[in-house]
Amino acid sequence: MKEARALPFWGRGDAPPQAERPRDPDQRNFGAIVRIFARTWPYLLPHIIGYWREIPGNRDARDLAESGPGQATSEAGWSFRHVPPLVTVLTAMGPLTGWLPFGKDWPHEVLLVATALMAILTWALLFVKGRAYLGVSVVLTLIGTGALLFAVFAVAGFADNLSVGLVALGCVCIWVLQYRVDGGRLRLRVRLGSHLVYYFALVWALTLLTMVIALFSVDLISQSILQAEPLTPFLADFIGRPELSVGGAAGTLEPPGDGAPANVDLELLTTEQRHSLKWVYAVFMVVSWLALVPSAMFLPYYYIFIMQRVNQDLRMALLDRWHRLSIRYHSDHRVGDSVYRIYQDSAQVTAVIGTITQAAQLLITYVIGVVFLGALDPILGTMAASVVLLAILWGRWYSPRMRERSLASREANSDFTSRVQESFAAIRIVKAYGAGEAEQERLVRDSLTAFNASYRVRTLMAIIGIVTFTLAAAALLGAQLLMAVWAQGTREVFAAVLVALVGLSFVKWNLAAYNWAQDQLGASSESVHSLVTLWAQAQDMAMGLDRVFDILAIEPEVENDPDAIPMPPLTHEIRFCHVGFAYEPGRPVLRDVSFAVEPGTVTAIVGPTGSGKSSLMSLLSRLFDPDSGSISIDGIELSKLDVDSLRRNVSVALQENVLFGMSVRDNIRYVVPDASDQVVRRAAHVACVDEYIAGLPQGLDTVLSDRGGKLSTGQRQRLSIARAVVKDAPILILDEPTAALDAYTEHRVLERLSGWGAGRAIFLITHRISTIRQADRILYLDEGAVVENGSHDELMQIEDGRYRNLVETEARLTRSNETDDSASVLKPESGDR
């Protein structure tokens, strides 16, 4: 219960010290958050531009550069020059066919002007580039969308819709269809995979359809069914009951005599007519529901599909950058922090897209609501707009606090992840030293700190929601009071002409106007509330993404030269020339190191602990670059060689024998996944681990435990040597390769390595004299400098030499140990006397 009592019911609890750390001013403003979100653009772009697929055929062309905007003809000859003539012909068809006649009325004139402008803009796209191309495309999209909406809602008839729709469809061909002539043959390709474009088009179409359904259903139920008022002409035509509209034929009265039938204006609907509309309304709502449900079911699935693809792209980019970062970076950062950033922080990119999508929908709903409310009465529009102004002022207070708490929470959770990882990795030591209770205390402390940091974020989120709801509710109640008063009088709506043009009945304030305005006010207030909540969540997302982009912004220390070449076969020598290196400025690890090694030789690198032996070999595989001097292979500096090519030609068996939780076969061929069983068995033979493998239950198919925990240190070491051998590289680096082997096994391994290593350069980092003796050349390092260089016999000739002293010291210790062992055997026990 101690852990449970540590969690606060009220208050901040045990918050991490980072929570109070002052933030950089750049993290406290709106622009900084927008810039963080903007950095997700490269991961969204592929799902906007998509890719080209040629038809007919199955070839995919996914080179986004080919389909880049701002040019009528791509580098590969693909073009959309067919679109402007096509759009021009479709535009001319309107007046020629009578679908958009000249001089009929001003709405048709508006559509004629709009289609003519669309045709002109498609021609303009042939001659502009860059930003001008983008600007013309945006204008064309806006004009096309506006013309379609105007044709559907403001102009009666179907012919105008068809004409404008064909012109718009022709314009879309710029984006989706291109051609080229290749060898006299016409080839076509279509753009696919623009998932975000498809998604937003569906969202906005669904939003528009929902709004249309709401407009006409509220008019039908509130005015005609409940209050017996005639239908508007548009609505009456839409449902196929023109006799129920204002001015429609209510009936035919036959007066005495031979007079013709007289039409009278319909003032109120009869009870029978209202009951008939009841069923029309029911059918209308069912049909609307059937139209909306498939989209409502499909869109969430489609959204998750897109977001997971984006998240995967970001994670892979993050992993790729992590692999390219130097060992220096990884040495300075905890593994748990890396895991948290990859798994948790990177996932925020999906939330960002969701936030942008929801924010766009909410903004559209809010802006349309404010415009429509302003059309009913400017006072309502002003009241709806005032809510967002209050929300902005409120946001200026809570935004920096949310960012501080969010970043502190993420850092605390990252620390807790690191603690868990380190605790599991050190489980043997924890158990061996009986430190389980102390480790548990550390885990509990870090867990509580992480929990309380997250708790402070959620508390602030709750406060933000409560205050925003209060502000929105106050504006909503005031507006409802005004509308109730207006609906009881004869007050005209502000934009009565526009309302009548659309085909709605509430040109004056009535029950339909009140109900619809109330719905719009509620939707606008809810939109503001949701936007505030999204903005608060965006602060948390931005802090998570900022931690990801911090890594992506780090440039790798080791990068390819622009003119780098693949490493040629090793034939002459590997040369270190006056090499100097330091992990930290002012603390050199290597000083003026110079030597040369020929292929077909074994070079032993010896010296005291911390003398720079492993660092020297790290430079050879370009895990680091030297601070001074140069390293060359056959006269070519390493900096001029392709990094991947160089590392493919260097094989390493590290002092830390890392094995993976997979089969023995896959562990040995880890760096050569397609190596055959014959190659794997040969490598196992060289490493003297073949007999052990043969004795396993499933042989090479035996699956090892995590990190090879059930194997002895010597077995893990020999498997690591086999992994290095199977790579068949011309350069082999063995770091303490036989430290855990007995003398007999060591002799066998080195003997087989010598036979295998013909023509290869082998480096041994070791302290064992028995291993060193078998080397062709010995480098003795001390304090980062090569103080002795030569064969065993040559170095033993140096009076007071460092290497000679090492050998003699080990020999004396060996003789002393043997004497002590003999004495302990010969000495009688007291009980034997």
Side-chain angles (χ1 to χ4, degrees):
M1 293 300 294
K2 178 177 63 175
E3 291 84 356
R5 288 195 298 272
L7 304 179
F9 177 77
W10 184 260
R12 55 177 289 167
D14 183 16
Q18 297 97 320
E20 304 302 329
R21 190 176 64 197
R23 293 281 165 252
D24 188 285
D26 188 56
Q27 292 181 328
R28 291 183 175 273
N29 56 51
F30 176 82
I33 303 302
V34 172
R35 284 193 293 273
I36 292 173
F37 284 0
R39 294 178 71 179
T40 64
W41 175 251
Y43 306 98
L44 306 181
L45 186 61
H47 304 281
I48 296 174
I49 292 181
Y51 59 91
W52 291 104
R53 172 168 290 176
E54 191 173 333
I55 52 172
N58 297 319
R59 287 176 292 179
D60 287 352
R62 298 176 183 265
D63 184 3
L64 300 183
E66 280 193 20
S67 55
Q71 49 191 15
T73 303
S74 70
E75 295 177 1
W78 295 98
S79 172
F80 62 82
R81 294 183 183 278
H82 62 290
V83 175
L86 173 64
V87 173
T88 303
V89 170
L90 293 174
T91 301
M93 283 178 57
L96 292 177
T97 58
W99 294 347
L100 282 179
F102 283 114
K104 181 178 181 180
D105 51 36
W106 70 267
H108 284 84
E109 296 295 335
V110 169
L111 294 180
L112 282 170
V113 172
T115 53
L117 284 175
M118 292 164 69
I120 293 171
L121 290 174
T122 56
W123 284 101
L125 288 175
L126 293 177
F127 306 102
V128 296
K129 294 182 178 181
R131 292 185 178 180
Y133 182 95
L134 182 60
V136 172
S137 301
V138 171
V139 173
L140 177 60
T141 303
L142 293 175
I143 292 176
T145 304
L148 276 172
L149 292 175
F150 190 76
V152 172
F153 294 111
V155 183
F158 176 74
D160 58 279
N161 298 350
L162 178 61
S163 180
V164 176
L166 287 173
V167 174
L169 185 62
C171 295
V172 171
C173 288
I174 294 176
W175 175 258
V176 300
L177 181 65
Q178 291 186 354
Y179 80 97
R180 77 176 182 185
V181 178
D182 187 5
R185 185 170 63 92
L186 178 65
R187 297 170 60 183
L188 300 175
R189 68 177 186 177
V190 295
R191 189 190 298 270
L192 301 174
S194 302
H195 296 294
L196 283 173
V197 175
Y198 308 152
Y199 177 77
F200 277 105
L202 287 172
V203 166
W204 290 335
L206 187 62
T207 302
L208 183 63
L209 180 60
T210 304
M211 185 168 294
V212 170
I213 292 172
L215 279 171
F216 291 105
S217 63
V218 73
D219 201 7
L220 182 64
I221 190 75
S222 298
Q223 296 303 113
S224 301
I225 295 176
L226 295 181
Q227 300 190 72
E229 293 188 10
L231 301 174
T232 63
F234 178 86
L235 188 55
D237 290 339
F238 179 75
I239 66 174
R241 302 287 298 274
E243 73 277 7
L244 300 184
S245 67
V246 177
T252 301
L253 300 178
E254 296 185 6
D258 298 325
N263 292 337
V264 298
D265 289 343
L266 181 64
E267 295 182 358
L268 292 174
L269 299 177
T270 65
T271 302
E272 291 77 8
Q273 290 169 332
R274 292 165 65 191
H275 278 292
S276 67
L277 286 179
K278 200 171 53 172
W279 296 109
V280 171
Y281 174 77
V283 172
F284 176 74
M285 294 306 296
V286 170
V287 171
S288 301
W289 181 82
L290 292 175
L292 293 175
V293 163
S295 298
M297 294 175 63
F298 173 72
L299 280 176
Y301 173 83
Y302 194 31
Y303 170 77
I304 293 173
F305 166 77
I306 299 171
M307 294 307 101
Q308 292 306 314
R309 289 167 66 99
V310 174
N311 189 20
Q312 177 71 1
D313 291 345
L314 180 58
R315 279 186 179 174
M316 292 305 100
L318 190 57
L319 281 169
D320 177 69
R321 177 53 56 92
W322 241 300
H323 288 151
R324 292 168 57 197
L325 293 176
S326 71
I327 299 298
R328 195 197 314 267
Y329 169 84
H330 292 291
S331 299
D332 294 338
H333 291 77
R334 302 172 77 180
V335 173
D337 179 67
S338 300
V339 171
Y340 192 86
R341 293 190 195 222
I342 292 175
Y343 175 71
Q344 189 67 31
D345 290 335
S346 68
Q348 297 305 303
V349 71
T350 61
V352 168
I353 309 306
T355 299
I356 293 173
T357 303
Q358 294 179 56
Q361 293 176 255
L362 291 169
L363 278 173
I364 291 171
T365 302
Y366 175 73
V367 171
I368 291 176
V370 170
V371 171
F372 282 0
L373 287 170
L376 293 178
D377 200 289
I379 296 176
L380 289 181
T382 302
M383 295 182 72
S386 66
V387 177
V388 78
L389 297 177
L390 295 173
I392 291 173
L393 294 175
W394 171 228
R396 288 179 61 86
W397 180 87
Y398 73 73
S399 294
R401 292 165 175 79
M402 176 59 71
R403 286 194 288 274
E404 286 187 6
R405 295 188 181 191
S406 173
L407 186 57
S409 172
R410 291 189 173 277
E411 290 175 348
N413 279 279
S414 176
D415 288 342
F416 177 62
T417 304
S418 297
R419 176 68 68 188
V420 172
Q421 183 273 330
E422 291 166 0
S423 179
F424 287 170
I427 190 65
R428 286 177 176 270
I429 294 178
V430 172
K431 288 185 173 296
Y433 284 93
E437 186 174 348
E439 190 64 26
Q440 177 73 9
E441 287 292 334
R442 283 190 287 268
L443 282 168
V444 168
R445 184 170 59 250
D446 285 355
S447 176
L448 289 174
T449 301
F451 175 87
N452 287 325
S454 300
Y455 181 77
R456 295 180 74 232
V457 174
R458 302 306 168 199
T459 301
L460 182 56
M461 286 284 292
I463 294 173
I464 291 169
I466 292 170
V467 173
T468 305
F469 175 80
T470 303
L471 295 174
L476 181 61
L477 289 174
Q480 282 185 316
L481 177 62
L482 284 176
M483 292 189 301
V485 173
W486 293 340
Q488 303 227 345
T490 58
R491 183 185 178 95
E492 274 196 0
V493 299
F494 178 71
V497 176
L498 179 61
V499 172
L501 182 65
V502 174
L504 300 175
S505 67
F506 39 85
V507 293
K508 290 187 177 182
W509 277 97
N510 53 26
L511 179 60
Y514 174 84
N515 287 336
W516 188 79
Q518 179 179 247
D519 290 341
Q520 288 302 309
L521 268 172
S524 298
S525 299
E526 180 59 31
S527 295
V528 173
H529 179 268
S530 299
L531 281 170
V532 170
T533 302
L534 283 176
W535 178 245
Q537 294 171 350
Q539 314 305 303
D540 179 48
M541 300 170 203
M543 295 301 98
L545 285 173
D546 197 35
R547 284 165 47 83
V548 172
F549 291 129
D550 280 347
I551 304 303
L552 293 176
I554 300 174
E555 292 298 328
E557 293 183 27
V558 177
E559 291 190 291
N560 270 331
D561 187 274
D563 301 319
I565 62 173
M567 177 179 163
L570 174 62
T571 58
H572 184 51
E573 68 173 6
I574 300 171
R575 180 171 292 275
F576 284 67
C577 185
H578 304 291
V579 170
F581 174 72
Y583 291 104
E584 299 176 9
R587 301 181 61 183
V589 176
L590 297 173
R591 311 166 188 262
D592 196 29
V593 175
S594 297
F595 65 91
V597 171
E598 298 174 357
T601 61
V602 178
T603 302
I605 303 173
V606 300
T609 301
S611 58
K613 302 184 294 296
S614 296
S615 298
L616 183 67
M617 290 297 96
S618 296
L619 297 180
L620 181 56
S621 54
R622 282 201 78 187
L623 298 180
F624 306 97
D625 279 334
D627 298 328
S628 61
S630 64
I631 306 171
S632 62
I633 296 178
D634 289 343
I636 304 173
E637 289 192 19
L638 296 191
S639 59
K640 301 298 182 182
L641 297 176
D642 178 76
V643 175
D644 292 334
S645 175
L646 169 66
R647 291 175 182 169
R648 281 195 297 269
N649 285 276
V650 178
S651 193
V652 181
L654 298 173
Q655 186 174 2
E656 180 184 0
N657 304 301
V658 179
L659 297 176
F660 302 94
M662 47 192 181
S663 69
V664 173
R665 174 189 291 104
D666 290 335
N667 267 283
I668 293 176
R669 65 181 187 182
Y670 175 74
V671 293
V672 190
D674 56 349
S676 65
D677 280 2
Q678 181 180 359
V679 173
V680 171
R681 293 184 189 281
R682 178 170 175 265
H685 174 74
V686 172
C688 296
V689 74
D690 49 338
E691 295 177 1
Y692 167 72
I693 294 174
L696 293 174
Q698 285 84 38
L700 288 173
D701 294 317
T702 302
V703 177
L704 302 181
S705 60
D706 188 30
R707 299 186 302 277
K710 295 181 179 180
L711 303 182
S712 69
T713 304
Q715 290 165 343
R716 291 199 298 269
Q717 197 163 53
R718 282 180 285 163
L719 284 174
S720 296
I721 294 173
R723 179 193 297 158
V725 169
V726 82
K727 191 176 180 181
D728 199 27
I731 302 172
L732 177 63
I733 301 172
L734 302 174
D735 192 348
E736 294 287 358
T738 60
L741 303 183
D742 59 79
Y744 173 69
T745 306
E746 175 195 13
H747 177 75
R748 292 173 61 208
V749 170
L750 292 176
E751 185 178 46
R752 293 181 184 182
L753 277 174
S754 297
W756 171 84
R760 294 177 171 87
I762 301 178
F763 295 87
L764 300 175
I765 301 175
T766 182
H767 292 91
R768 298 182 68 166
I769 300 300
S770 57
T771 304
I772 299 171
R773 285 175 180 273
Q774 301 186 46
D776 301 296
R777 176 184 296 274
I778 301 168
L779 301 177
Y780 192 98
L781 267 68
D782 193 8
E783 296 184 354
V786 177
V787 295
E788 294 179 6
N789 181 354
S791 67
H792 173 77
D793 293 336
E794 291 172 347
L795 297 186
M796 290 299 292
Q797 299 301 318
I798 302 175
E799 293 291 337
D800 298 327
R802 307 285 183 88
Y803 176 74
R804 178 175 175 175
N805 182 58
L806 172 67
V807 174
E808 292 175 348
T809 300
E810 181 167 323
R812 285 195 300 270
L813 290 174
T814 302
R815 287 194 300 270
S816 176
N817 290 335
E818 291 175 351
T819 302
D820 291 342
D821 291 341
S822 299
S824 64
V825 171
L826 296 175
K827 183 177 180 180
E829 297 293 336
S830 59
D832 295 335
R833 293 179 181 178

